[in-house]
Amino acid sequence: MNPARNSYLAVLLLAAMCFDRQASADGLDEFAISTYSAFQQFPDVSGQVVVWEDGRGAASGTEYDIYGKDLGTGVEFSVTTATGSQYRPVISGDVVVWEDYRNGGADIYAKNLSTGVEFPISTASRNQRRPQIDGNLIVWQDERNGGSDIYGFDLLTNMEFVVSSAVGDQFRPAISGDTVIWVDSRNRGVQGLNLSTSTAYAINNTFTADFRGPAIDGETVVWMGVRDGVEGLYRTDLTTGDYFLVRAQSETSQLIQTPVIEGSTILWGEGEGGAPNLFDIYGEDFTNGNTFFVSNAAGGQYYPAIDNGLIVWTDGRSNQNSPNIYGAVLPTIPEPTNLALVAMLAGWGLVRRRRLQGCSGSRLARHSYQSDRKATKPSLP
């Protein structure tokens, strides 16, 4: 068999082993996670555990607690019902972190779900808000110095540290591994810092998202801003500094916001004029440019989160004034079984391993050496 034919058959075999995640124009198969008759929003997910902000504990709906559900067992549970309100939970592994008002102002608290132990992360003066967690590292925006800075906490060493206390305000942090990104008022742009190498990143000099800031996974950052005169949703590769347009605001009259990312999958909310009841959730796999609906059900769907292909979001299909938590799973991707073939294809330059990221989003990934084009993607379905 000649090499060219062998190469062609190998590509077909690889395609059969490791196909791209896709979804129909009608969205993914969805399921309810929590439909309690109270305001539920801002979900996050790690493994099979989903957590969210929940208003069932107060008749007025003005105080919130943190609830969760183990999708493996189907058991729902309270994470914390402390006095005051608790907002915006995030989870990594067994640790849930949130913004807590039990002491009057905003502090950062956490709970280990395995041990059941709840503990403060920061109760410094003024307010600490919008925590994010990845592994053992927690970051948040902190007002103890008067303005807003970025602080962090290492659960392994039990030590707090400063990420950025530069002139002006730094806010809306996100973290992946050792890299923290945030919005910086010095230029209203997106900045970053690798905590291990002290490498600083200037990702963009304009930022336009209304809420929940930029997002990061590995070396990929997604953010709302303006580049080359085009406003929209972008991604940046921190290893190369290249940026790519995911979705241009000019393509639609709808407002784009709340981007999140896992692997090669980017999710965002989009709706007319910013009204929550008109928002839907969309996605794209940037290895192939496929765009898809996550959910376009009645009412509004917004504030998505994703882990290992499990997507969760705030959902107003039953009652926009009392939304619930819904979820969906991206189609399963079979892991490569013939690693020798993958290695052979990599040797030919047809595929390469990248960040131990999988075939379009699992944990072993291929990515064409042909670079992505800096171009507007086709209209969504």
Side-chain angles (χ1 to χ4, degrees), residues 57 82 87 104 185 211 235 270 282 315 340 364 371:
Y87 297 118
S185 68
F211 202 68
R235 67 178 174 88
E270 188 169 313
Y282 299 83
D315 195 294
L364 238 201
S371 62

Side-chain angles (χ1 to χ4, degrees), residues 295-309:
S295 177
N296 62 340
Q301 291 77 45
Y302 41 96
Y303 304 142
I306 181 172
D307 184 62
N308 201 29

Side-chain angles (χ1 to χ4, degrees), residues 252-307:
T252 174
S253 62
Q254 300 187 136
L255 179 67
I256 304 169
Q257 62 175 190
T258 324
V260 296
I261 181 170
E262 181 188 50
S264 61
T265 300
I266 302 171
L267 307 174
W268 67 91
E270 188 169 313
E272 292 284 351
N277 64 306
L278 297 176
F279 264 74
D280 297 314
I281 297 173
Y282 299 83
E284 178 186 279
D285 182 336
F286 67 72
T287 61
N288 54 33
N290 285 345
T291 56
F292 54 90
F293 280 122
V294 173
S295 177
N296 62 340
Q301 291 77 45
Y302 41 96
Y303 304 142
I306 181 172
D307 184 62

Side-chain angles (χ1 to χ4, degrees), residues 93-146:
D94 293 327
V95 179
V96 184
V97 186
W98 62 88
E99 183 179 313
D100 195 296
Y101 287 79
R102 71 183 69 186
N103 300 316
D107 298 317
I108 306 298
Y109 274 72
K111 184 174 184 177
N112 187 311
L113 297 180
S114 294
T115 64
V117 176
E118 184 176 306
F119 51 96
I121 297 297
S122 178
T123 58
S125 61
R126 298 190 173 91
N127 294 312
Q128 292 77 48
R129 294 188 171 118
R130 301 183 189 277
Q132 294 291 317
I133 181 173
D134 188 32
N136 295 303
L137 296 179
I138 301 168
V139 294
W140 64 90
Q141 66 183 54
D142 195 299
E143 299 171 6
R144 70 181 70 182
N145 299 318

